PDB file of all heavy atoms in Angstrom:
ATOM      1  N   ASP R1397     182.982  32.143  58.368  1.00 75.00           N
ATOM      2  CA  ASP R1397     182.800  30.711  58.138  1.00 75.00           C
ATOM      3  C   ASP R1397     183.225  30.303  56.730  1.00 75.00           C
ATOM      4  O   ASP R1397     183.493  31.146  55.862  1.00 75.00           O
ATOM      5  CB  ASP R1397     181.359  30.285  58.419  1.00 75.00           C
ATOM      6  CG  ASP R1397     180.344  31.031  57.564  1.00 75.00           C
ATOM      7  OD1 ASP R1397     180.724  31.547  56.496  1.00 75.00           O
ATOM      8  OD2 ASP R1397     179.176  31.099  57.957  1.00 75.00           O
ATOM      9  N   ALA R1398     183.276  28.995  56.519  1.00 78.00           N
ATOM     10  CA  ALA R1398     183.737  28.452  55.241  1.00 78.00           C
ATOM     11  C   ALA R1398     182.798  28.837  54.111  1.00 78.00           C
ATOM     12  O   ALA R1398     183.245  29.017  52.959  1.00 78.00           O
ATOM     13  CB  ALA R1398     183.855  26.935  55.345  1.00 78.00           C
ATOM     14  N   THR R1399     181.517  28.988  54.397  1.00 75.00           N
ATOM     15  CA  THR R1399     180.558  29.342  53.354  1.00 75.00           C
ATOM     16  C   THR R1399     180.846  30.728  52.804  1.00 75.00           C
ATOM     17  O   THR R1399     180.783  30.965  51.591  1.00 75.00           O
ATOM     18  CB  THR R1399     179.126  29.286  53.906  1.00 75.00           C
ATOM     19  OG1 THR R1399     178.873  27.973  54.413  1.00 75.00           O
ATOM     20  CG2 THR R1399     178.114  29.609  52.820  1.00 75.00           C
ATOM     21  N   THR R1400     181.159  31.675  53.679  1.00 72.00           N
ATOM     22  CA  THR R1400     181.497  33.034  53.233  1.00 72.00           C
ATOM     23  C   THR R1400     182.741  33.020  52.358  1.00 72.00           C
ATOM     24  O   THR R1400     182.787  33.665  51.301  1.00 72.00           O
ATOM     25  CB  THR R1400     181.700  33.954  54.453  1.00 72.00           C
ATOM     26  OG1 THR R1400     180.503  33.985  55.223  1.00 72.00           O
ATOM     27  CG2 THR R1400     182.050  35.373  54.001  1.00 72.00           C
ATOM     28  N   ILE R1401     183.767  32.301  52.790  1.00 77.00           N
ATOM     29  CA  ILE R1401     185.004  32.208  52.007  1.00 77.00           C
ATOM     30  C   ILE R1401     184.729  31.540  50.663  1.00 77.00           C
ATOM     31  O   ILE R1401     185.207  31.992  49.610  1.00 77.00           O
ATOM     32  CB  ILE R1401     186.075  31.435  52.788  1.00 77.00           C
ATOM     33  CG1 ILE R1401     186.435  32.197  54.076  1.00 77.00           C
ATOM     34  CG2 ILE R1401     187.307  31.207  51.935  1.00 77.00           C
ATOM     35  CD1 ILE R1401     187.334  31.423  55.012  1.00 77.00           C
ATOM     36  N   GLY R1402     183.940  30.461  50.664  1.00 78.00           N
ATOM     37  CA  GLY R1402     183.629  29.759  49.431  1.00 78.00           C
ATOM     38  C   GLY R1402     182.852  30.624  48.457  1.00 78.00           C
ATOM     39  O   GLY R1402     183.144  30.636  47.242  1.00 78.00           O
ATOM     40  N   GLY R1403     181.857  31.361  48.954  1.00 73.00           N
ATOM     41  CA  GLY R1403     181.095  32.245  48.082  1.00 73.00           C
ATOM     42  C   GLY R1403     181.964  33.313  47.450  1.00 73.00           C
ATOM     43  O   GLY R1403     181.842  33.625  46.264  1.00 73.00           O
ATOM     44  N   PHE R1404     182.872  33.872  48.239  1.00 73.00           N
ATOM     45  CA  PHE R1404     183.791  34.879  47.730  1.00 73.00           C
ATOM     46  C   PHE R1404     184.667  34.312  46.609  1.00 73.00           C
ATOM     47  O   PHE R1404     184.858  34.938  45.567  1.00 73.00           O
ATOM     48  CB  PHE R1404     184.666  35.404  48.860  1.00 73.00           C
ATOM     49  CG  PHE R1404     185.865  36.185  48.402  1.00 73.00           C
ATOM     50  CD1 PHE R1404     185.729  37.464  47.902  1.00 73.00           C
ATOM     51  CD2 PHE R1404     187.142  35.634  48.454  1.00 73.00           C
ATOM     52  CE1 PHE R1404     186.831  38.181  47.464  1.00 73.00           C
ATOM     53  CE2 PHE R1404     188.239  36.336  48.023  1.00 73.00           C
ATOM     54  CZ  PHE R1404     188.090  37.615  47.526  1.00 73.00           C
ATOM     55  N   LEU R1405     185.218  33.120  46.812  1.00 81.00           N
ATOM     56  CA  LEU R1405     186.099  32.515  45.813  1.00 81.00           C
ATOM     57  C   LEU R1405     185.359  32.223  44.510  1.00 81.00           C
ATOM     58  O   LEU R1405     185.904  32.416  43.412  1.00 81.00           O
ATOM     59  CB  LEU R1405     186.732  31.236  46.369  1.00 81.00           C
ATOM     60  CG  LEU R1405     187.736  31.442  47.515  1.00 81.00           C
ATOM     61  CD1 LEU R1405     188.206  30.090  48.059  1.00 81.00           C
ATOM     62  CD2 LEU R1405     188.921  32.270  47.054  1.00 81.00           C
ATOM     63  N   VAL R1406     184.114  31.759  44.610  1.00 77.00           N
ATOM     64  CA  VAL R1406     183.332  31.477  43.399  1.00 77.00           C
ATOM     65  C   VAL R1406     183.075  32.771  42.635  1.00 77.00           C
ATOM     66  O   VAL R1406     183.195  32.827  41.395  1.00 77.00           O
ATOM     67  CB  VAL R1406     182.007  30.778  43.763  1.00 77.00           C
ATOM     68  CG1 VAL R1406     181.087  30.685  42.553  1.00 77.00           C
ATOM     69  CG2 VAL R1406     182.282  29.386  44.311  1.00 77.00           C
ATOM     70  N   ILE R1407     182.723  33.852  43.329  1.00 72.00           N
ATOM     71  CA  ILE R1407     182.504  35.143  42.680  1.00 72.00           C
ATOM     72  C   ILE R1407     183.789  35.634  42.008  1.00 72.00           C
ATOM     73  O   ILE R1407     183.780  36.126  40.880  1.00 72.00           O
ATOM     74  CB  ILE R1407     181.977  36.179  43.687  1.00 72.00           C
ATOM     75  CG1 ILE R1407     180.561  35.824  44.137  1.00 72.00           C
ATOM     76  CG2 ILE R1407     181.996  37.587  43.082  1.00 72.00           C
ATOM     77  CD1 ILE R1407     180.032  36.674  45.267  1.00 72.00           C
ATOM     78  N   PHE R1408     184.916  35.464  42.700  1.00 76.00           N
ATOM     79  CA  PHE R1408     186.195  35.926  42.150  1.00 76.00           C
ATOM     80  C   PHE R1408     186.560  35.150  40.881  1.00 76.00           C
ATOM     81  O   PHE R1408     187.035  35.733  39.905  1.00 76.00           O
ATOM     82  CB  PHE R1408     187.307  35.781  43.187  1.00 76.00           C
ATOM     83  CG  PHE R1408     188.647  36.237  42.702  1.00 76.00           C
ATOM     84  CD1 PHE R1408     188.878  37.574  42.443  1.00 76.00           C
ATOM     85  CD2 PHE R1408     189.679  35.333  42.487  1.00 76.00           C
ATOM     86  CE1 PHE R1408     190.108  38.011  41.989  1.00 76.00           C
ATOM     87  CE2 PHE R1408     190.912  35.759  42.026  1.00 76.00           C
ATOM     88  CZ  PHE R1408     191.130  37.104  41.786  1.00 76.00           C
ATOM     89  N   VAL R1409     186.319  33.837  40.873  1.00 79.00           N
ATOM     90  CA  VAL R1409     186.585  33.041  39.663  1.00 79.00           C
ATOM     91  C   VAL R1409     185.699  33.521  38.514  1.00 79.00           C
ATOM     92  O   VAL R1409     186.147  33.612  37.359  1.00 79.00           O
ATOM     93  CB  VAL R1409     186.358  31.538  39.948  1.00 79.00           C
ATOM     94  CG1 VAL R1409     186.403  30.733  38.648  1.00 79.00           C
ATOM     95  CG2 VAL R1409     187.413  31.026  40.913  1.00 79.00           C
ATOM     96  N   GLY R1410     184.441  33.843  38.822  1.00 73.00           N
ATOM     97  CA  GLY R1410     183.552  34.369  37.794  1.00 73.00           C
ATOM     98  C   GLY R1410     184.072  35.659  37.199  1.00 73.00           C
ATOM     99  O   GLY R1410     184.053  35.861  35.978  1.00 73.00           O
ATOM    100  N   PHE R1411     184.572  36.553  38.062  1.00 70.00           N
ATOM    101  CA  PHE R1411     185.152  37.809  37.593  1.00 70.00           C
ATOM    102  C   PHE R1411     186.356  37.543  36.671  1.00 70.00           C
ATOM    103  O   PHE R1411     186.489  38.163  35.619  1.00 70.00           O
ATOM    104  CB  PHE R1411     185.585  38.660  38.795  1.00 70.00           C
ATOM    105  CG  PHE R1411     186.446  39.839  38.438  1.00 70.00           C
ATOM    106  CD1 PHE R1411     185.881  41.005  37.956  1.00 70.00           C
ATOM    107  CD2 PHE R1411     187.831  39.786  38.599  1.00 70.00           C
ATOM    108  CE1 PHE R1411     186.675  42.090  37.630  1.00 70.00           C
ATOM    109  CE2 PHE R1411     188.629  40.863  38.274  1.00 70.00           C
ATOM    110  CZ  PHE R1411     188.051  42.020  37.793  1.00 70.00           C
ATOM    111  N   CYS R1412     187.214  36.614  37.074  1.00 74.00           N
ATOM    112  CA  CYS R1412     188.402  36.313  36.267  1.00 74.00           C
ATOM    113  C   CYS R1412     188.033  35.740  34.906  1.00 74.00           C
ATOM    114  O   CYS R1412     188.693  36.023  33.901  1.00 74.00           O
ATOM    115  CB  CYS R1412     189.316  35.331  37.014  1.00 74.00           C
ATOM    116  SG  CYS R1412     190.107  36.057  38.470  1.00 74.00           S
ATOM    117  N   LEU R1413     186.980  34.939  34.841  1.00 74.00           N
ATOM    118  CA  LEU R1413     186.525  34.401  33.563  1.00 74.00           C
ATOM    119  C   LEU R1413     186.018  35.507  32.633  1.00 74.00           C
ATOM    120  O   LEU R1413     186.350  35.547  31.451  1.00 74.00           O
ATOM    121  CB  LEU R1413     185.422  33.369  33.777  1.00 74.00           C
ATOM    122  CG  LEU R1413     185.865  31.940  34.104  1.00 74.00           C
ATOM    123  CD1 LEU R1413     184.646  31.078  34.426  1.00 74.00           C
ATOM    124  CD2 LEU R1413     186.640  31.341  32.928  1.00 74.00           C
ATOM    125  N   ILE R1414     185.230  36.404  33.194  1.00 67.00           N
ATOM    126  CA  ILE R1414     184.676  37.488  32.380  1.00 67.00           C
ATOM    127  C   ILE R1414     185.773  38.435  31.896  1.00 67.00           C
ATOM    128  O   ILE R1414     185.779  38.888  30.756  1.00 67.00           O
ATOM    129  CB  ILE R1414     183.607  38.258  33.177  1.00 67.00           C
ATOM    130  CG1 ILE R1414     182.367  37.390  33.356  1.00 67.00           C
ATOM    131  CG2 ILE R1414     183.232  39.550  32.469  1.00 67.00           C
ATOM    132  CD1 ILE R1414     181.288  38.013  34.203  1.00 67.00           C
ATOM    133  N   LYS R1415     186.734  38.707  32.763  1.00 66.00           N
ATOM    134  CA  LYS R1415     187.791  39.673  32.449  1.00 66.00           C
ATOM    135  C   LYS R1415     189.098  38.993  32.018  1.00 66.00           C
ATOM    136  O   LYS R1415     190.165  39.613  32.077  1.00 66.00           O
ATOM    137  CB  LYS R1415     188.061  40.537  33.689  1.00 66.00           C
ATOM    138  CG  LYS R1415     186.939  41.488  34.043  1.00 66.00           C
ATOM    139  CD  LYS R1415     186.808  42.595  33.032  1.00 66.00           C
ATOM    140  CE  LYS R1415     185.831  43.665  33.474  1.00 66.00           C
ATOM    141  NZ  LYS R1415     185.690  44.743  32.477  1.00 66.00           N
ATOM    142  N   ARG R1416     189.033  37.746  31.571  1.00 72.00           N
ATOM    143  CA  ARG R1416     190.247  36.974  31.318  1.00 72.00           C
ATOM    144  C   ARG R1416     191.149  37.640  30.287  1.00 72.00           C
ATOM    145  O   ARG R1416     192.376  37.679  30.451  1.00 72.00           O
ATOM    146  CB  ARG R1416     189.892  35.533  30.884  1.00 72.00           C
ATOM    147  CG  ARG R1416     189.171  35.457  29.581  1.00 72.00           C
ATOM    148  CD  ARG R1416     188.478  34.113  29.374  1.00 72.00           C
ATOM    149  NE  ARG R1416     187.830  34.048  28.076  1.00 72.00           N
ATOM    150  CZ  ARG R1416     186.680  34.657  27.790  1.00 72.00           C
ATOM    151  NH1 ARG R1416     186.070  35.368  28.717  1.00 72.00           N
ATOM    152  NH2 ARG R1416     186.154  34.560  26.581  1.00 72.00           N
ATOM    153  N   ARG R1417     190.576  38.177  29.196  1.00 69.00           N
ATOM    154  CA  ARG R1417     191.411  38.801  28.168  1.00 69.00           C
ATOM    155  C   ARG R1417     192.064  40.083  28.689  1.00 69.00           C
ATOM    156  O   ARG R1417     193.251  40.322  28.455  1.00 69.00           O
ATOM    157  CB  ARG R1417     190.572  39.109  26.925  1.00 69.00           C
ATOM    158  CG  ARG R1417     190.093  37.864  26.171  1.00 69.00           C
ATOM    159  CD  ARG R1417     189.540  38.243  24.812  1.00 69.00           C
ATOM    160  NE  ARG R1417     189.080  37.070  24.094  1.00 69.00           N
ATOM    161  CZ  ARG R1417     187.822  36.632  24.092  1.00 69.00           C
ATOM    162  NH1 ARG R1417     186.907  37.288  24.794  1.00 69.00           N
ATOM    163  NH2 ARG R1417     187.470  35.556  23.407  1.00 69.00           N
ATOM    164  N   GLN R1418     191.269  40.907  29.377  1.00 63.00           N
ATOM    165  CA  GLN R1418     191.827  42.155  29.905  1.00 63.00           C
ATOM    166  C   GLN R1418     192.888  41.885  30.960  1.00 63.00           C
ATOM    167  O   GLN R1418     193.922  42.563  31.000  1.00 63.00           O
ATOM    168  CB  GLN R1418     190.703  43.023  30.490  1.00 63.00           C
ATOM    169  CG  GLN R1418     189.704  43.510  29.461  1.00 63.00           C
ATOM    170  CD  GLN R1418     188.500  42.598  29.353  1.00 63.00           C
ATOM    171  OE1 GLN R1418     188.628  41.372  29.521  1.00 63.00           O
ATOM    172  NE2 GLN R1418     187.334  43.175  29.081  1.00 63.00           N
ATOM    173  N   LEU R1419     192.636  40.878  31.810  1.00 63.00           N
ATOM    174  CA  LEU R1419     193.627  40.548  32.837  1.00 63.00           C
ATOM    175  C   LEU R1419     194.913  40.024  32.205  1.00 63.00           C
ATOM    176  O   LEU R1419     196.013  40.377  32.632  1.00 63.00           O
ATOM    177  CB  LEU R1419     193.053  39.505  33.797  1.00 63.00           C
ATOM    178  CG  LEU R1419     191.966  40.001  34.764  1.00 63.00           C
ATOM    179  CD1 LEU R1419     191.323  38.821  35.481  1.00 63.00           C
ATOM    180  CD2 LEU R1419     192.548  40.985  35.768  1.00 63.00           C
ATOM    181  N   ALA R1420     194.783  39.180  31.168  1.00 70.00           N
ATOM    182  CA  ALA R1420     195.971  38.667  30.496  1.00 70.00           C
ATOM    183  C   ALA R1420     196.774  39.792  29.855  1.00 70.00           C
ATOM    184  O   ALA R1420     198.007  39.788  29.885  1.00 70.00           O
ATOM    185  CB  ALA R1420     195.571  37.639  29.440  1.00 70.00           C
ATOM    186  N   ALA R1421     196.048  40.772  29.287  1.00 67.00           N
ATOM    187  CA  ALA R1421     196.743  41.904  28.663  1.00 67.00           C
ATOM    188  C   ALA R1421     197.414  42.798  29.693  1.00 67.00           C
ATOM    189  O   ALA R1421     198.454  43.420  29.417  1.00 67.00           O
ATOM    190  CB  ALA R1421     195.745  42.715  27.837  1.00 67.00           C
ATOM    191  N   GLU R1422     196.834  42.853  30.895  1.00 59.00           N
ATOM    192  CA  GLU R1422     197.370  43.732  31.931  1.00 59.00           C
ATOM    193  C   GLU R1422     198.508  43.092  32.728  1.00 59.00           C
ATOM    194  O   GLU R1422     199.288  43.800  33.364  1.00 59.00           O
ATOM    195  CB  GLU R1422     196.252  44.115  32.907  1.00 59.00           C
ATOM    196  CG  GLU R1422     195.212  45.059  32.336  1.00 59.00           C
ATOM    197  CD  GLU R1422     195.709  46.488  32.280  1.00 59.00           C
ATOM    198  OE1 GLU R1422     196.608  46.828  33.061  1.00 59.00           O
ATOM    199  OE2 GLU R1422     195.192  47.246  31.457  1.00 59.00           O
ATOM    200  N   LEU R1423     198.609  41.759  32.726  1.00 63.00           N
ATOM    201  CA  LEU R1423     199.577  41.086  33.586  1.00 63.00           C
ATOM    202  C   LEU R1423     201.012  41.554  33.381  1.00 63.00           C
ATOM    203  O   LEU R1423     201.725  41.810  34.364  1.00 63.00           O
ATOM    204  CB  LEU R1423     199.482  39.566  33.402  1.00 63.00           C
ATOM    205  CG  LEU R1423     198.335  38.883  34.141  1.00 63.00           C
ATOM    206  CD1 LEU R1423     198.283  37.401  33.805  1.00 63.00           C
ATOM    207  CD2 LEU R1423     198.477  39.072  35.647  1.00 63.00           C
ATOM    208  N   PRO R1424     201.514  41.670  32.120  1.00 64.00           N
ATOM    209  CA  PRO R1424     202.897  42.156  31.958  1.00 64.00           C
ATOM    210  C   PRO R1424     203.126  43.530  32.577  1.00 64.00           C
ATOM    211  O   PRO R1424     204.130  43.759  33.254  1.00 64.00           O
ATOM    212  CB  PRO R1424     203.079  42.179  30.447  1.00 64.00           C
ATOM    213  CG  PRO R1424     202.088  41.194  29.924  1.00 64.00           C
ATOM    214  CD  PRO R1424     200.906  41.311  30.817  1.00 64.00           C
ATOM    215  N   ALA R1425     202.166  44.439  32.360  1.00 59.00           N
ATOM    216  CA  ALA R1425     202.305  45.780  32.924  1.00 59.00           C
ATOM    217  C   ALA R1425     202.239  45.746  34.449  1.00 59.00           C
ATOM    218  O   ALA R1425     202.962  46.472  35.143  1.00 59.00           O
ATOM    219  CB  ALA R1425     201.224  46.705  32.356  1.00 59.00           C
ATOM    220  N   MET R1426     201.349  44.887  34.987  1.00 54.00           N
ATOM    221  CA  MET R1426     201.228  44.783  36.445  1.00 54.00           C
ATOM    222  C   MET R1426     202.515  44.220  37.052  1.00 54.00           C
ATOM    223  O   MET R1426     202.978  44.719  38.083  1.00 54.00           O
ATOM    224  CB  MET R1426     200.037  43.897  36.799  1.00 54.00           C
ATOM    225  CG  MET R1426     198.684  44.518  36.455  1.00 54.00           C
ATOM    226  SD  MET R1426     197.296  43.345  36.603  1.00 54.00           S
ATOM    227  CE  MET R1426     197.272  43.093  38.366  1.00 54.00           C
ATOM    228  N   ARG R1427     203.096  43.203  36.410  1.00 59.00           N
ATOM    229  CA  ARG R1427     204.341  42.638  36.914  1.00 59.00           C
ATOM    230  C   ARG R1427     205.464  43.670  36.885  1.00 59.00           C
ATOM    231  O   ARG R1427     206.253  43.794  37.820  1.00 59.00           O
ATOM    232  CB  ARG R1427     204.741  41.410  36.101  1.00 59.00           C
ATOM    233  CG  ARG R1427     203.995  40.146  36.475  1.00 59.00           C
ATOM    234  CD  ARG R1427     204.688  38.920  35.935  1.00 59.00           C
ATOM    235  NE  ARG R1427     204.679  38.925  34.476  1.00 59.00           N
ATOM    236  CZ  ARG R1427     203.791  38.266  33.737  1.00 59.00           C
ATOM    237  NH1 ARG R1427     202.821  37.581  34.313  1.00 59.00           N
ATOM    238  NH2 ARG R1427     203.871  38.298  32.425  1.00 59.00           N
ATOM    239  N   ALA R1428     205.528  44.434  35.773  1.00 59.00           N
ATOM    240  CA  ALA R1428     206.574  45.468  35.653  1.00 59.00           C
ATOM    241  C   ALA R1428     206.391  46.557  36.711  1.00 59.00           C
ATOM    242  O   ALA R1428     207.361  47.019  37.316  1.00 59.00           O
ATOM    243  CB  ALA R1428     206.535  46.079  34.253  1.00 59.00           C
ATOM    244  N   ALA R1429     205.117  46.933  36.950  1.00 55.00           N
ATOM    245  CA  ALA R1429     204.862  47.967  37.942  1.00 55.00           C
ATOM    246  C   ALA R1429     205.240  47.505  39.333  1.00 55.00           C
ATOM    247  O   ALA R1429     205.842  48.260  40.125  1.00 55.00           O
ATOM    248  CB  ALA R1429     203.381  48.359  37.901  1.00 55.00           C
ATOM    249  N   ILE R1430     204.913  46.244  39.657  1.00 53.00           N
ATOM    250  CA  ILE R1430     205.262  45.700  40.988  1.00 53.00           C
ATOM    251  C   ILE R1430     206.776  45.637  41.149  1.00 53.00           C
ATOM    252  O   ILE R1430     207.335  45.999  42.205  1.00 53.00           O
ATOM    253  CB  ILE R1430     204.630  44.310  41.163  1.00 53.00           C
ATOM    254  CG1 ILE R1430     203.116  44.435  41.262  1.00 53.00           C
ATOM    255  CG2 ILE R1430     205.191  43.641  42.421  1.00 53.00           C
ATOM    256  CD1 ILE R1430     202.395  43.096  41.235  1.00 53.00           C
TER     257      ILE R1430
END
């Protein structure tokens, strides 16, 4: 249902906020690896 999808997206946004610096630092390497 939509509630399950919505809860998942909110949790994922929270993770991205907490890990924003590490994710930004990893993005170039992740793009190169892909």
Side-chain angles (χ1 to χ4, degrees):
D1397 58 22
T1399 302
T1400 300
I1401 296 171
F1404 166 74
L1405 292 175
V1406 171
I1407 291 172
F1408 181 67
V1409 170
F1411 168 81
C1412 291
L1413 276 174
I1414 290 176
K1415 291 290 189 181
R1416 65 197 182 284
R1417 292 192 180 94
Q1418 295 94 327
L1419 288 170
E1422 289 283 336
L1423 280 176
M1426 292 170 68
R1427 281 196 295 263
I1430 292 172

